[in-house]
Amino acid sequence: MSSGDGSSEPSSKISKISKKPRYSRFTQQELPACKPILTPGLVITILISLAIIFIPIGLSSISASENVVELVDRYDDVCIPSNSSNHDEKIGFIQDAATNKTCFRTWIVPKKMNHPIFVYYQLDNFYQNHRRYVKSRSDHQLWSPKSERATKLCEPEAQNDDDKPIVPCGLIAWSLFNDTYRFSRNDDAIEINKKDIAWGSDRTKKFGSDVYPKNFQTRGLIGGAKLNESIPLSQQEDLIVWMRTAALPSFRKLYGRIETDLEANDKITIEIQNNYNTYSFNGRKKLVISTTTWIGGKNDFLGRMYMTVGGTSLFFAIAFSILFVIKPR
Amino acid sequence: MTVTHLSKMRLWLPHSPPIFLNRETLELTVAITSAVTYAFCNKKVGSTALDFDIVIEKNARFMNQYFLLIACLQLWSLITPVNPASTWGPLIFIFAVSATKEAWDDYNRYLSDKKANEKEVWIVRQGIRKLIQAQDIHVGNIVWLRENDEVPCDLVLLGTADPLGICYVELKGKTTAALDGETDLKTRMIPSACMGIDGVIECPRPDKDIRRFDANMRLFPPFLDNDVFPLTIKNTLLQSCYLRNTEWACGVAVYTGKCNETKLGMSRGIPEPKLTAVDAMIDKLTGAIFIFQIVVVIVLGVAGSVWKDTEARKLWYVQYPKEGPWYELLIIPLRFELLCSIMIPISIKVSLDLVKSLYAKFIDWDDQMVDLETGTRSHAAKCCISGRLYGNENGDALTDAELLNAVSSGSTDVIRFLKVMAICNTVIPVQSKSGEISYKAQSQDEEALVRAAAHINFNASLIQYEVLDILEFTSDRKRMSVVVKDCQSGKIFLLAKGADEAILPHSYAGQQIRTFAEAVEQYAQLGLRTLCLAWRELDNDEYQEWAVMFKEANSTLVDREWRVAEVCQRLEHDFEILGVAAIEDRLQDGVPETIETLRKAGINFWMLTGDKQSTAIQIALSCNFVSPEPKGQLLMIDGKTGDEVSRSLERVLLTMRITNSEPKDVAFVVDGWALEIALRHYRKAFTELAILSRTAICCRVTPSQKAQLVELLKSCDYRTLAIGDGGNDVRMIQQADIGVGISGREGLQAARAADYSIGSVSGTSLFNSVSLMAYNVFYTSVPVLVSVLDKDLSERTVMQHPQILFYCQAGRLLNPSTFAGWFGRSLFHAIVVFVITIHSYAFEKSEMEEVSMVALSGCIWLQAFVVALETNSFTILQHLAIWGNLVGFYVINWIVSAIPASGMYTIMFRLCKQPSYWITMFLTVAAGMGPVLALKYFRYTYKSSKINILQQANVWEGQFLLWGT
C-alpha cells in the first residue's frame, strides 16, 4: 500500500491552514480539574461536621436568646374605655382629639435587666411595606432644603391645601406613630433616653440638619404625630426611626433606651398616651422592653433552626452509615 | 421536482464540430428565446441588505415577545413595582449585542459579496473575449475560465482545453475549512453532444441540491438525429469551485448570482429557521413557566384585589382613593405579572447564545475531537475468486503468493476479477508532477479496490477499454456497473460491483452462488466490508437497444433518478459472478475507548450502517459498541413478512422489558428489510423498543431509513446527534438535531451537507449535549449581574421566587422531568430563604433594606452552593466563577453601600458586622443544601434500585448518538 500515502500529501498541506488557536490548556479543556464524587465517606463526613458545627451554635444561640429578658405588653385593647366595645366606638374614641387617652399599665420585672434596656413599640398588622405607602416619600426633600418642592412621589400627602409643599412629605411621615410612654418605678420616673435611637447614617446623610418641618399635619386629615417645626429633621429621631420602613406587617421600632438596670420584682408603672389609631384596621399595639445579647433581641428561631439542622444532619449521617453498612450499593 | 419553469436559451454556433481547441475563437451567439421565461431580477450576488428590522426579526420568538411585553408594561409607572431600568437595561444591552453581531456579520457578508460581484471574469461575446464584472454575467453568457479560476456562477460546460472535454474542479468547502480544509477533486465533462451547438438548454428551476442537475440540451438543426442530450451535474461547473488541472474551460451560465439562484447560493443562502433542540426546549419550558406565572398572577391578583377591597381600604395610612380608574381591576394582577417576570430571566437568551458560541469554539479548537473522528480507513484485504479464497487469516490478499501466481499464470477468472476491480469505478487517476499516480475517489472502498488492482500488476500489456456508459451507484440500487467496449475485440461488457444482495440474486441461472454467499458470510464475520464483482457480455443489439432507453431515462426531467434505476435494472441481470472482494474498514485508534466513555456518559448509541448484519455486529463488537457475551446480549429482529417481523419485535420487546432490570447490556439488531416493515406497520412497538434500548444496530439501512430513524427518535423527545461521513448519511445528518459531518476521505458529501445544514442554521456548529461538559461557568455570571441589578425588586416577590431566576439558567433545560426537579428544588430553596429571612430578621430587625439584602445574600449563597454541587469537575475556572461570584456580590454591594445617595447606604456594612447575619447565611446554606445533598447522594448511590421504578418513563439522559457508517 506504499503508493497510497502519496495521495494524502496535497490535502494535508491545505489542512495546515486551519483556524485553530495556539494550543493551550484552556482551549483544549484540559485544565487541571478535581472531580468530587459523592462517596458515602464524603457525604457522611459533611453531614457529621454540619452537626458538629450546628449544634453548638444552636445551643449558644438558644442560651443567648434565653438570657434576653423581654417584656411584652399589648395595650391597645385595654387602653380604651371599657364601654366602647364595638368597632366604631373604638374608632370614635381614638379619633376624638378631646378625650383623655392616658392609660396606666403596671409591670413586674421578672428578672434582673441590665442596662441598656431597649424600649420598643410593636405594631401588628400594620403594612409599612404597602406599595402606596413605601413609595410615598421624598429622599431629596428630606436631605436638602433646596429640594423642598420635590414632592412628586409623595402624593397624596405632597402639598397642603394652599399648594405649599409639606416637609416632610408623604404618607410615611404623615402617619408617624404618636403614642408616648412614661416609665416610673415606685413613683420615681425612669428616664428614657431618646437620643441616638436612629441610625447614625440616617441622621448624618439622609435627613438634613438644615431641613425643618413645614406645613406638616396642617391638612384636614391628620395622620399621626406632629413635629416641632424648630427642630431640624436630623434631630427628629422618632421620625427617622419611623421612616425606616419595616418589611413585614409585624414590626418593632425603637422608642428609646433605659440607661439604668431594672431589678427583679421591680414594679414598673407605665403611663401610655394611647393616640395612634390602629383600631380602624384591627392592628395591635404592644410595648416591649428588652435587653440584648450578641445575637440581638430575643429570637429563638435561629437557635431552634440550628438545632434542627444539626440534629437532622446527625440523624442522616447515622442513617446513611447504617444504610451503607447494610447495603453498600 | 418541479420543471414547469424552464429557462431556455439558445446557443448558436455556425461552425461545425469538432473544434475544442479553438473554441474561444468561435463566434458564439447566445440568445435567450425563452418560451417560458422567468423573471431574472436585478439583484447582485448575495443578500447584502443590512437588516435594520433586527428587532422585529428577533421578536419572532416567544421569549423575546415576552420580554418586550414586560419591558413595555414597566413603562407604565402606575403598575411598575421596580425601576424600569432593571428590565430595559438588560433588554437594550441584549438587543444591542445581538444587533451589533448581526450587523457585523452582514457587513462582512457585504464585503465578500462585493468582492465576488466585482471580480473580473472573461466572457465570450461575438467571438471576442471580454472582461466584465462577475455581477454582470447574464444567463446564457459564455464564461471563459483559466486554470485555478474560481467559477463565478453555475455553468454548463461547453468546452475545455482537453481534447476529450474533461476538466477538473475542486470544491473548496468554505465551511468545511473549520474541520480541516477538505478538498476534493472532481471530473467534469462537456456534454457528449456539445461539439458545436445551436440549441436550447432546458434546466429545472434553480434548487439547492448540489449533487443533481437534471437538465437537457436540445440541439437545433442540423443535428436532428440526436436532438436531446441529458445534462447532469457532471456537465456543470458550480459556483465557488476552482478549475484545476485544465488549462481553460468555458461554459454557458445557467444560474447566476442574481436572485441568489446558484446551487451553492441557494444551499447556503436561505437561512433556515431551524431552532436547535435547546432553543426549542427552552421555548417550550419558557411557555410552561409562563403558564405557571399566569396562574400565579391570577391567583395572587384576585387575592390581592379582594384584600385591597376588604382590608386595604381600612388602612387609613395608605389613603386609598375612594374611586379608582376603570382599569383598577387590572392593576394588581399586572403588578404581580411584573414581579413574577423575573421567573423568566432576560439574560437566559444572552447566556444561551454565549454558551452556544463558546461550545462551538471549543469544538473547533479541540484537536482531539478532529483526530478521533477522521473516520475509518479501508483497504482491500481479502478476496474470493470463483470459489477460492485468497488472503489468509491475518494477511492481505495482495501479499498472498497464490493470488500473485494466479495472476501471473493468467487465470481468466482472476484476470477478469481484477479487470472489474480496475475498471468498474468512478475513480479519477491524478498524475502528480513527480509522475506518481494518485487516485481521487468519492468512496474509499473504490479507492481501495483500484489501488489493490493497480498493485497486482497485470501481465498483459496495455488493454484499452472504452467506457460506454456508467450505471451509477445509488444507495437504493446498492451496485454500480459500467458498460465497456474492448477496444481490441470490440466486444461489449457489463461490469458490475455491489453489495451481495444486489448482485448475487442477479446471477445467471445455474451459477453456483453458494460459495460466494459463504465467502461473504465468512468475511462479514471478520468484520470486513464485502463487495461482489460480476460481469456479463452484452450483445451489440441488446446494448444499442438499451442505450437508447438509458439515454431517454437520463434526459427525463421528472424522477430521473428513479427512471434511470429502472432502466439499469434491465441490463443488470444474468451476471456471471466473478468473486467477492473484502475490504477492511479499520477503525481509528481510540474509537473503542471513546465509545465506551460516551456510553458511560449515558449516551445511547445507534449504529446505522449499510453493511451486512454480521459485518455490523463484528464492528460493533470490536469498537465496544456492544459487549460480548455473557455481559451483553444481542437480540435480533428479523423476518421477511410482516407477521414474522411483528413476532420477533414482540419477542425482543419482551426480553428488553425483562432484562432492563438487570445490569446487562442488551442491544437489538435489525436489518433494513425488517426495519422497513417495523417502521411502516409496527411503529408503536418499535418506538417503545427505541426508548427501552440503549444500543441498537441497524444494518442494511438506506439513507432514507436513516433519516426516518432519526425522526423517530426525535419524536420520542430524544435529542439526536448524527455523525456520518458517507454520502448516504447526508439526509440523516440534515434530519438530526445536531448533524456532524466528518470529512474523512469519503466524506465530502457528508461534510458538505452537514456543514451546509449547520452553516445554514446559525453559522456555528452547535453542540448541545451540554450536560457532558462543565457548563456552569458560563451560566452563572450573567444571572448574578442581573440579580444585583434587580436588587431593588420588591422583597416579597424576591423572596417568594428568587431562585427561579437562577434555576432557569443553570437548570438543564433539556427535558421536562429534570426541569421539574429543578423547579421543585428552586421552590424549596425559595421557601427556605423566605422563611429563614423573615424569622431571623423579625421585629426590631425587620427593616426593609436589611431584610431584602439578607434574602438576596441568602439566594446568592445558595446559588453558589447549588452550582458547586452540580459541577462535576472543578477547574480553576469553575472555582473562579463560583466563588468569584460570591465575592463579587459582596464587593459590589459594599461599593453601593458606600454611596450615600443609594437606597442601601451603609446596609451591607451594617449587616456584615452582625453575627446574626452570618449565622443566618450559614443556616440558609445548610438548610437549603442539606436535603439536596442527601437526596443527591441517595440517588447517586442507590440509583440502581431507583431505576426500576422510573424505568417505564425514564428517559435516562435522553441523548442519542447515531452513528452512520
Side-chain angles (χ1 to χ4, degrees):
Chain A
M1 293 278 87
S2 53
S3 64
D5 301 325
S7 64
S8 57
E9 279 289 301
S11 61
S12 70
K13 237 176 254 164
I14 292 153
S15 64
K16 288 259 167 62
I17 319 158
S18 90
K19 287 190 291 188
K20 275 174 203 158
R22 218 160 45 80
Y23 171 88
S24 80
R25 294 171 91 178
F26 172 70
T27 57
Q28 294 304 309
Q29 300 159 49
E30 285 168 6
L31 290 169
C34 96
K35 295 179 179 169
I37 295 169
L38 290 180
T39 55
L42 182 71
V43 171
I44 291 167
T45 314
I46 290 176
L47 289 176
I48 287 180
S49 45
L50 266 186
I52 290 174
I53 297 168
F54 269 61
I55 290 172
I57 296 181
L59 286 174
S60 59
S61 303
I62 286 178
S63 78
S65 177
E66 285 300 312
N67 285 334
V68 172
V69 185
E70 184 185 81
L71 295 177
V72 184
D73 183 41
R74 179 178 171 188
Y75 63 88
D76 64 285
D77 49 346
V78 288
C79 289
I80 199 156
S82 47
N83 55 8
S84 55
S85 52
N86 78 31
H87 194 70
D88 290 337
E89 276 172 338
K90 286 181 194 166
I91 296 171
F93 161 76
I94 202 82
Q95 285 181 339
D96 187 354
T99 50
N100 177 18
K101 301 198 180 76
T102 314
C103 168
F104 290 95
R105 305 284 297 154
T106 312
W107 294 356
I108 307 292
V109 177
K111 247 164 102 181
K112 183 172 193 280
M113 294 174 89
N114 291 321
H115 77 274
I117 300 162
F118 292 87
V119 180
Y120 303 99
Y121 54 90
Q122 175 174 342
L123 290 177
D124 290 340
N125 203 24
F126 190 101
Y127 289 87
Q128 263 206 320
N129 57 3
H130 194 283
R131 192 184 124 82
R132 270 177 74 88
Y133 188 81
V134 163
K135 280 169 64 176
S136 185
R137 63 188 287 164
S138 167
D139 284 337
H140 292 288
Q141 193 202 44
L142 293 175
W143 175 237
S144 157
K146 277 178 253 153
S147 310
E148 194 179 280
R149 293 207 154 263
T151 58
K152 204 170 137 255
L153 294 169
C154 291
E155 290 297 342
E157 285 294 326
Q159 285 157 352
N160 70 359
D161 301 333
D162 310 330
D163 286 345
K164 294 226 176 83
I166 299 170
V167 183
C169 71
L171 288 173
I172 309 179
W174 174 72
S175 61
L176 175 60
F177 188 74
N178 59 354
D179 285 7
T180 56
Y181 315 105
R182 201 172 289 145
F183 284 70
S184 55
R185 175 168 50 183
N186 310 327
D187 295 334
D188 295 338
I190 303 173
E191 200 196 332
I192 299 177
N193 182 4
K194 289 185 72 89
K195 270 255 168 270
D196 294 347
I197 55 172
W199 293 3
S201 60
D202 280 353
R203 276 182 277 129
T204 53
K205 295 285 186 221
K206 293 277 181 192
F207 289 79
S209 55
D210 48 355
V211 182
Y212 293 88
K214 261 182 218 163
N215 309 317
F216 190 67
Q217 304 286 28
T218 53
R219 288 179 71 204
L221 197 59
I222 290 177
K226 298 189 174 174
L227 293 173
N228 186 340
E229 300 208 347
S230 61
I231 302 172
L233 291 187
S234 61
Q235 288 169 38
Q236 305 268 13
E237 295 206 34
D238 279 328
L239 176 76
I240 299 173
V241 168
W242 181 253
M243 289 193 77
R244 276 275 154 205
T245 49
L248 295 168
S250 279
F251 58 90
R252 287 175 188 173
K253 293 209 173 284
L254 192 56
Y255 182 80
R257 276 187 304 272
I258 296 172
E259 302 282 12
T260 52
D261 292 353
L262 297 180
E263 301 300 328
N265 300 318
D266 272 358
K267 190 176 168 192
I268 294 177
T269 311
I270 304 133
E271 182 193 334
I272 298 170
Q273 293 298 325
N274 182 20
N275 296 322
Y276 202 69
N277 177 11
T278 54
Y279 301 102
S280 301
F281 51 88
N282 296 321
R284 288 178 294 277
K285 292 191 281 192
K286 289 172 186 165
L287 179 61
V288 180
I289 61 170
S290 168
T291 57
T292 58
T293 55
W294 60 271
I295 201 171
K298 195 170 188 67
N299 190 345
D300 290 340
F301 173 79
L302 278 177
R304 284 202 205 119
M305 272 305 281
Y306 264 75
M307 293 303 289
T308 315
V309 170
T312 318
S313 301
L314 198 62
F315 170 76
F316 273 104
I318 294 165
F320 281 148
S321 311
I322 293 169
L323 204 58
F324 181 69
V325 171
I326 297 169
K327 192 185 170 204
R329 274 268 126 191
Chain B
M1 182 107 330
T2 166
V3 284
T4 48
H5 285 69
L6 298 174
S7 104
K8 300 196 172 184
M9 68 201 79
R10 186 175 203 171
L11 312 170
W12 178 67
L13 220 79
H15 295 261
S16 54
I19 18 158
F20 294 106
L21 286 168
N22 50 357
R23 164 66 47 96
E24 82 260 36
T25 62
L26 293 176
E27 188 181 329
L28 293 166
T29 323
V30 178
I32 299 171
T33 62
S34 47
V36 190
T37 45
Y38 61 83
F40 295 109
C41 27
N42 292 318
K43 257 163 67 184
K44 297 174 183 177
V45 174
S47 54
T48 55
L50 281 165
D51 291 326
F52 287 111
D53 49 356
I54 288 163
V55 176
I56 298 160
E57 194 182 301
K58 289 259 146 207
N59 283 319
R61 283 178 51 192
F62 168 75
M63 214 173 16
N64 298 333
Q65 287 167 352
Y66 171 80
F67 291 139
L68 204 69
L69 175 80
I70 295 298
C72 289
L73 276 180
Q74 290 206 329
L75 288 183
W76 189 5
S77 65
L78 185 66
I79 59 164
T80 178
V82 293
N83 190 344
S86 65
T87 309
W88 279 99
L91 201 69
I92 287 168
F93 175 74
I94 285 156
F95 279 130
V97 166
S98 49
T100 315
K101 186 170 164 276
E102 237 141 271
W104 177 250
D105 288 352
D106 271 349
Y107 178 68
N108 280 336
R109 215 179 308 149
Y110 164 76
L111 282 188
S112 70
D113 282 348
K114 192 173 164 206
K115 217 172 124 195
N117 279 331
E118 291 177 356
K119 214 176 73 175
E120 303 220 301
V121 290
W122 290 100
I123 66 163
V124 183
R125 210 175 265 168
Q126 309 289 342
I128 304 153
R129 267 192 290 164
K130 271 203 289 193
L131 262 183
I132 61 165
Q133 290 193 341
Q135 68 196 36
D136 296 328
I137 299 175
H138 290 283
V139 173
N141 283 3
I142 309 266
V143 179
W144 191 83
L145 301 161
R146 276 173 301 188
E147 190 170 1
N148 297 335
D149 275 354
E150 187 180 348
V151 182
C153 61
D154 292 355
L155 304 172
V156 169
L157 262 179
L158 291 181
T160 72
D162 186 286
L164 288 173
I166 293 172
C167 69
Y168 300 91
V169 289
E170 187 171 51
L171 190 132
K172 197 174 265 167
K174 265 186 198 164
T175 43
T176 57
L179 274 166
D180 66 353
E182 164 95 8
T183 60
D184 197 31
L185 207 57
K186 298 227 161 187
T187 337
R188 291 290 185 251
M189 315 163 90
I190 65 166
S192 53
C194 190
M195 305 296 179
I197 18 170
D198 176 10
V200 167
I201 294 171
E202 298 174 341
C203 47
R205 213 205 247 287
D207 58 43
K208 60 178 180 179
D209 191 340
I210 51 173
R211 284 163 290 138
R212 284 175 64 170
F213 179 70
D214 298 344
N216 278 326
M217 179 177 277
R218 196 183 290 274
L219 297 182
F220 289 149
F223 308 101
L224 272 173
D225 48 338
N226 41 3
D227 56 350
V228 176
F229 287 97
L231 296 178
T232 67
I233 198 71
K234 292 213 131 110
N235 308 119
T236 59
L237 295 176
L238 293 188
Q239 192 192 15
S240 296
C241 294
Y242 290 84
L243 192 65
R244 300 279 192 234
N245 300 357
T246 316
E247 212 174 296
W248 59 264
C250 70
V252 57
V254 286
Y255 302 134
T256 63
K258 282 162 198 163
C259 302
N260 215 16
E261 63 194 12
T262 62
K263 282 182 175 289
L264 196 84
M266 287 187 79
S267 65
R268 174 186 58 190
I270 304 157
E272 288 172 38
K274 180 179 170 187
L275 299 177
T276 64
V278 163
D279 283 339
M281 185 51 97
I282 281 184
D283 256 17
K284 245 192 245 166
L285 292 177
T286 313
I289 299 175
F290 183 69
I291 290 166
F292 173 76
Q293 193 181 316
I294 291 295
V295 171
V296 168
V297 164
I298 288 171
V299 169
L300 292 183
V302 168
S305 294
V306 170
W307 184 83
K308 190 185 94 177
D309 284 337
T310 56
E311 292 296 318
R313 298 232 182 260
K314 295 183 194 158
L315 308 179
W316 54 266
Y317 51 89
V318 173
Q319 288 193 6
Y320 255 114
K322 292 216 170 54
E323 281 297 314
W326 58 269
Y327 48 81
E328 211 186 351
L329 270 179
L330 277 179
I331 290 177
I332 289 181
L334 281 177
R335 265 179 212 154
F336 275 112
E337 172 61 38
L338 284 185
L339 286 174
C340 294
S341 67
I342 50 157
M343 284 186 196
I344 306 171
I346 295 171
S347 54
I348 192 167
K349 199 180 136 43
V350 177
S351 313
L352 274 175
D353 288 351
L354 195 80
V355 169
K356 268 191 235 161
S357 45
L358 270 170
Y359 281 137
K361 275 262 151 38
F362 270 128
I363 289 166
D364 263 7
W365 288 347
D366 206 319
D367 293 336
Q368 263 185 5
M369 200 164 292
V370 176
D371 284 353
L372 277 176
E373 287 174 354
T374 348
T376 51
R377 286 201 211 101
S378 38
H379 71 141
K382 294 181 174 51
C383 57
C384 160
I385 303 167
S386 47
R388 274 180 70 183
L389 300 175
Y390 297 98
N392 48 14
E393 271 304 302
N394 317 310
D396 249 316
L398 300 182
T399 51
D400 194 333
E402 244 181 289
L403 179 65
L404 296 177
N405 281 342
V407 172
S408 50
S409 63
S411 153
T412 35
D413 280 337
V414 176
I415 297 289
R416 276 187 199 161
F417 183 83
L418 291 177
K419 271 184 199 164
V420 175
M421 258 168 89
I423 298 168
C424 182
N425 56 52
T426 53
V427 175
I428 307 157
V430 177
Q431 191 152 22
S432 64
K433 295 228 167 68
S434 56
E436 241 178 293
I437 295 173
S438 61
Y439 302 97
K440 299 272 181 189
Q442 292 182 33
S443 136
Q444 46 194 150
D445 293 352
E446 285 199 331
E447 190 183 334
L449 283 178
V450 170
R451 222 179 268 155
H455 193 78
I456 304 167
N457 289 322
F458 282 101
N459 265 353
S461 55
L462 212 58
I463 312 171
Q464 271 197 333
Y465 285 97
E466 188 189 339
V467 176
L468 298 174
D469 284 298
I470 295 177
L471 289 64
E472 285 197 46
F473 177 87
T474 62
S475 46
D476 294 320
R477 270 158 36 83
K478 292 179 179 165
R479 62 170 173 261
M480 75 161 288
S481 342
V482 290
V483 180
V484 294
K485 191 165 137 191
D486 191 330
C487 287
Q488 285 157 324
S489 62
K491 281 182 184 166
I492 300 171
F493 298 101
L494 176 73
L495 311 179
K497 74 165 194 279
D500 53 319
E501 87 260 23
I503 297 279
L504 292 183
H506 298 285
S507 65
Y508 68 88
Q511 194 186 7
Q512 279 294 343
I513 57 167
R514 218 187 43 151
T515 44
F516 296 111
E518 275 169 7
V520 166
E521 196 53 38
Q522 195 181 334
Y523 289 145
Q525 293 286 345
L526 294 168
L528 301 175
R529 201 179 271 182
T530 54
L531 277 175
C532 287
L533 277 64
W535 85 338
R536 178 160 80 94
E537 197 178 327
L538 298 178
D539 275 355
N540 204 25
D541 294 346
E542 187 193 359
Y543 169 69
Q544 293 303 343
E545 198 183 309
W546 176 83
V548 176
M549 284 194 292
F550 186 60
K551 209 179 87 185
E552 208 172 276
N554 256 324
S555 47
T556 44
L557 290 175
V558 192
D559 284 339
R560 179 182 284 182
E561 200 174 317
W562 180 79
R563 300 224 2 219
V564 168
E566 201 189 45
V567 173
C568 291
Q569 189 83 31
R570 296 193 188 182
L571 201 64
E572 294 168 328
H573 58 85
D574 291 340
F575 285 128
E576 182 184 340
I577 313 291
L578 293 172
V580 180
I583 297 155
E584 188 179 356
D585 211 358
R586 263 188 225 145
L587 283 169
Q588 284 265 249
D589 295 341
V591 168
E593 290 80 5
T594 313
I595 290 176
E596 181 80 36
T597 320
L598 288 176
R599 274 165 55 82
K600 274 185 194 150
I603 290 179
N604 298 346
F605 273 88
W606 283 40
M607 180 166 116
L608 315 179
T609 171
D611 285 340
K612 285 184 64 64
Q613 183 163 317
S614 30
T615 315
I617 292 172
Q618 277 311 312
I619 292 180
L621 282 171
S622 70
C623 61
N624 275 343
F625 193 78
V626 289
S627 322
E629 302 270 356
K631 226 184 111 197
Q633 192 182 351
L634 283 176
L635 305 167
M636 305 286 175
I637 300 174
D638 41 23
K640 290 273 172 268
T641 66
D643 279 349
E644 280 173 44
V645 172
S646 150
R647 247 176 286 134
S648 95
L649 190 63
E650 279 305 315
R651 205 176 50 236
V652 170
L653 254 179
L654 209 66
T655 331
M656 210 58 118
R657 286 196 196 116
I658 298 163
T659 49
N660 244 326
S661 48
E662 300 163 25
K664 205 171 177 185
D665 234 359
V666 184
F668 71 86
V669 183
V670 61
D671 67 8
W673 181 253
L675 184 67
E676 190 66 40
I677 295 169
L679 281 178
R680 193 168 301 159
H681 303 293
Y682 309 103
R683 207 181 169 89
K684 221 179 126 211
F686 191 75
T687 311
E688 197 196 336
L689 186 66
I691 292 171
L692 279 177
S693 71
R694 295 196 57 200
T695 315
I697 299 169
C698 306
C699 31
R700 284 290 185 234
V701 287
T702 59
S704 58
Q705 282 179 330
K706 288 184 184 180
Q708 276 179 42
L709 278 173
V710 172
E711 206 185 332
L712 179 90
L713 292 175
K714 268 170 81 178
S715 72
C716 315
D717 275 346
Y718 281 114
R719 272 156 305 111
T720 49
L721 168 77
I723 301 181
D725 62 349
N728 45 14
D729 300 325
V730 171
R731 267 188 265 178
M732 170 180 87
I733 288 170
Q734 281 170 338
Q735 181 70 247
D737 291 325
I738 313 143
V740 177
I742 296 166
S743 42
R745 285 277 190 79
E746 189 181 330
L748 179 70
Q749 277 189 340
R752 205 152 56 187
D755 280 338
Y756 283 146
S757 72
I758 288 169
S760 58
V761 177
S762 68
T764 50
S765 14
L766 307 174
F767 206 81
N768 291 334
S769 39
V770 278
S771 48
L772 286 181
M773 307 193 198
Y775 55 85
N776 301 318
V777 185
F778 312 110
Y779 278 103
T780 44
S781 44
V782 182
V784 172
L785 188 69
V786 171
S787 6
V788 171
L789 284 174
D790 280 355
K791 69 170 185 352
D792 50 358
L793 278 176
S794 157
E795 31 289 306
R796 257 205 286 176
T797 343
V798 175
M799 283 188 277
Q800 272 162 18
H801 300 285
Q803 302 307 93
I804 286 160
L805 166 91
F806 161 64
Y807 288 117
C808 288
Q809 304 277 329
R812 304 177 182 182
L813 285 165
L814 301 175
N815 72 53
S817 66
T818 35
F819 176 74
W822 279 93
F823 195 84
R825 181 196 284 198
S826 65
L827 219 56
F828 167 68
H829 281 170
I831 291 166
V832 164
V833 170
F834 181 68
V835 168
I836 291 184
T837 306
I838 64 161
H839 280 102
S840 54
Y841 273 71
F843 298 134
E844 74 277 5
K845 289 185 195 151
S846 168
E847 199 279 317
M848 207 174 267
E849 298 283 346
E850 278 192 5
V851 171
S852 73
M853 195 39 76
V854 170
L856 186 60
S857 332
C859 294
I860 300 291
W861 275 90
L862 263 184
Q863 170 189 311
F865 277 89
V866 166
V867 174
L869 187 70
E870 289 302 317
T871 302
N872 296 317
S873 80
F874 284 92
T875 68
I876 183 98
L877 286 178
Q878 268 82 357
H879 282 299
L880 261 178
I882 295 170
W883 312 122
N885 258 342
L886 204 53
V887 174
F889 170 78
Y890 280 97
V891 170
I892 289 172
N893 279 299
W894 281 328
I895 291 170
V896 178
S897 293
I899 303 167
S902 80
M904 50 172 290
Y905 178 55
T906 69
I907 297 286
M908 207 61 194
F909 299 113
R910 199 178 286 276
L911 285 176
C912 288
K913 273 186 263 172
Q914 296 170 3
S916 56
Y917 171 76
W918 297 109
I919 285 186
T920 308
M921 289 303 106
F922 204 38
L923 179 67
T924 308
V925 170
M929 295 313 294
V932 175
L933 179 80
L935 197 68
K936 193 179 156 104
Y937 163 75
F938 191 78
R939 273 228 188 117
Y940 182 84
T941 317
Y942 302 99
K943 187 160 67 175
S944 48
S945 60
K946 192 113 181 152
I947 205 162
N948 302 343
I949 310 157
L950 295 173
Q951 203 89 70
Q952 208 54 35
N954 186 22
V955 181
W956 185 231
E957 276 286 328
Q959 289 158 355
F960 255 96
L961 209 122
L962 287 114
W963 192 8
T965 57

